[in-house]
């Protein structure tokens, strides 16, 4: 799977329409209901955390961890011979800020995914020396995003902190032989659009 670049900001007209629709929704909530209803007002406005793949069920950390692990495992049969170098997880409220040494002759492949409630995308920034690239990581995807990094100098992977949502980030750093590098061979320096 090729990584996708960070999405651009919403155009001003779209943001204005979104803001106005939110205001209209709030106005509807404050307007007294003319009809009769068997649902108590407190029950109509309960906020329930839901998981992206199954929006009818509450978001649960154990279920989220299993979905995220399946997304990381989805690439196991891609024909390459990855060797795990490191792995980890983090809560989106604390984010990720990890520096990897990247020694040796094999390429590095960072597989990363997220499973959240209320957040569709997280920002991953890869940095090595003066080179830096930002990417959007789609949360709840069935396959983890993959990023290729050549061996050599240390590099840093940072996932921005999100305090307004609930969720987790899982990542694995694998080594792969140079012949098994798929797509761009250096996602930090970038390979153009």
């Amino acid at each position: 799977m090729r990584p996708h670049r960070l999405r651009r900001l919403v155009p001003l007209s779209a943001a204005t329409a979104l803001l106005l629709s939110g205001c209209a929704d709030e106005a509807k909530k404050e307007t007294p209901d003319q009809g009769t209803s068997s649902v108590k007002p407190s029950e109509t406005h309960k906020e329930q955390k839901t998981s992206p793949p199954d929006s009818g069920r509450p978001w649960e950390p154990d279920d989220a961890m299993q979905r995220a692990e399946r997304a990381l495992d989805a690439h196991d049969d891609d024909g390459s011979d990855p060797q795990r170098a490191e792995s980890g997880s983090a809560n989106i409220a604390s984010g990720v800020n990890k520096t990897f040494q990247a020694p040796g002759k094999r390429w590095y492949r960072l597989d990363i995914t997220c499973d959240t409630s209320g957040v569709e995308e997280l920002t991953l920034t890869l940095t090595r020396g003066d080179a830096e690239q930002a990417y959007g990581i789609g949360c709840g995807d069935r396959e983890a995003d993959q990023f290729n990094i050549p061996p050599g100098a240390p590099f840093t992977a940072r996932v921005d902190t999100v305090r307004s949502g609930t969720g987790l980030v899982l990542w694995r750093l694998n080594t792969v032989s140079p012949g098994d590098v798929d797509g761009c061979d250096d996602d930090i320096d970038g390979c153009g659009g």
Side-chain angles (χ1 to χ4, degrees):
M1 166 183 270
R2 285 201 44 95
H4 51 279
R5 297 279 176 186
L6 187 62
R7 296 182 182 145
R8 299 286 179 226
L9 296 175
V10 176
L12 184 56
S13 59
T16 304
L18 182 62
L19 179 63
L20 292 176
S21 71
C23 293
D25 288 342
E26 286 300 315
K28 286 179 187 177
K29 289 178 187 175
E30 294 176 15
T31 307
D33 189 8
Q34 300 297 329
T36 59
S37 174
S38 62
V39 179
K40 296 177 184 173
S42 62
E43 293 176 346
T44 61
H45 299 295
K46 283 185 182 176
E47 183 176 324
Q48 185 174 15
K49 296 176 182 175
T50 59
S51 62
D54 186 3
S55 60
R57 295 175 47 193
W59 187 89
E60 295 289 336
D62 291 340
D63 295 340
M65 181 70 78
Q66 290 176 5
R67 286 189 299 268
E69 286 174 352
R70 281 193 303 266
L72 288 172
D73 292 341
H75 296 291
D76 284 350
D77 60 353
D78 65 0
S80 65
D81 181 27
Q83 295 176 6
R84 189 173 305 176
E86 292 187 51
S87 64
S89 64
N91 187 298
I92 63 171
S94 56
V96 175
N97 191 1
K98 176 85 175 145
T99 299
F100 301 97
Q101 295 307 308
K105 296 184 179 185
R106 289 172 59 97
W107 247 247
Y108 287 83
R109 187 182 78 200
L110 178 66
D111 297 351
I112 188 165
T113 190
C114 50
D115 193 289
T116 64
S117 173
V119 179
E120 292 182 15
E121 185 177 88
L122 298 177
T123 302
L124 166 70
T125 305
L126 297 173
T127 308
R128 176 182 266 164
D130 293 334
E132 181 176 281
Q133 292 289 331
Y135 296 94
I137 303 298
C139 296
D141 290 349
R142 293 185 187 273
E143 293 184 357
D145 289 302
Q146 295 183 318
F147 301 91
N148 297 313
I149 298 106
F155 71 93
T156 301
R158 187 179 75 245
V159 176
D160 292 343
T161 301
V162 177
R163 301 206 188 275
S164 61
T166 302
L168 52 86
V169 178
L170 257 67
W171 56 267
R172 289 181 188 159
L173 183 67
N174 298 301
T175 62
V176 295
S177 63
D180 287 333
V181 174
D182 186 30
C184 179
D185 65 352
D186 188 345
D187 284 311
I188 299 176
D189 278 340
C191 296

